[in-house]
Amino acid sequence: MMFQLKKSVVATEAAPKAIGPYSQAVVAGPFVFTSGTLPLDPATGEIVGTTATEQTRQVFENLQAVLKAAGTNLSKAVKATVFLKDLADFAAMNEVYASYVGDGVLPSRSAVQVARLPKDVLVEIEMIVLA
């Protein structure tokens, strides 16, 4: 007998629309898989902030909106992947990151420097969260 996992799309106007052929997030079984989330204003699609601190804060505001639409929240995060344009911004990103993920069971995480991110932003974060 085969187990068939159902999946559903998460979409909200409270977070930036996808800028390509992907969903803001997908719920599959007990998990929510977010797409890489950028520091964009949901209303205008413009980049919010010029520093890693400002951009990371906007990324988390957008992630919270997507997770709320999925019926969950950051406290249920199990894995995060952080993409930075420059690892010199790690400490600034990390300070904001810590303020959003809390003090409970922290998600596992990878952080990498990449050559370039969409719209030339400084930070992009994707997560896997319990639904």
Side-chain angles (χ1 to χ4, degrees), residues 4-112:
Q4 290 195 351
L5 193 63
K6 293 184 180 186
K7 64 181 184 175
S8 60
V9 171
V10 177
T12 178
E13 295 292 322
K17 293 181 182 184
I19 57 175
Y22 59 89
S23 301
Q24 290 171 323
V26 172
V27 178
F31 298 104
V32 177
F33 298 84
T34 73
S35 290
T37 303
L38 301 175
L40 304 179
D41 180 296
T44 66
E46 297 299 317
I47 298 169
V48 174
T50 58
T51 68
T53 297
E54 294 166 332
Q55 289 192 11
T56 302
R57 189 173 296 114
Q58 185 62 43
V59 165
F60 273 102
E61 291 299 313
N62 293 340
L63 281 167
Q64 285 184 135
V66 170
L67 295 175
K68 181 178 180 182
T72 191
N73 60 62
L74 288 168
S75 72
K76 296 181 179 181
V78 295
K79 173 71 171 120
T81 305
V82 179
F83 304 95
L84 294 167
K85 185 174 181 179
D86 187 344
L87 275 177
D89 289 332
F90 182 84
M93 175 282 300
N94 206 42
E95 186 175 337
V96 176
Y97 180 98
S99 74
Y100 278 90
V101 297
D103 298 324
V105 177
L106 299 174
S108 61
R109 182 180 79 185
S110 302
V112 296

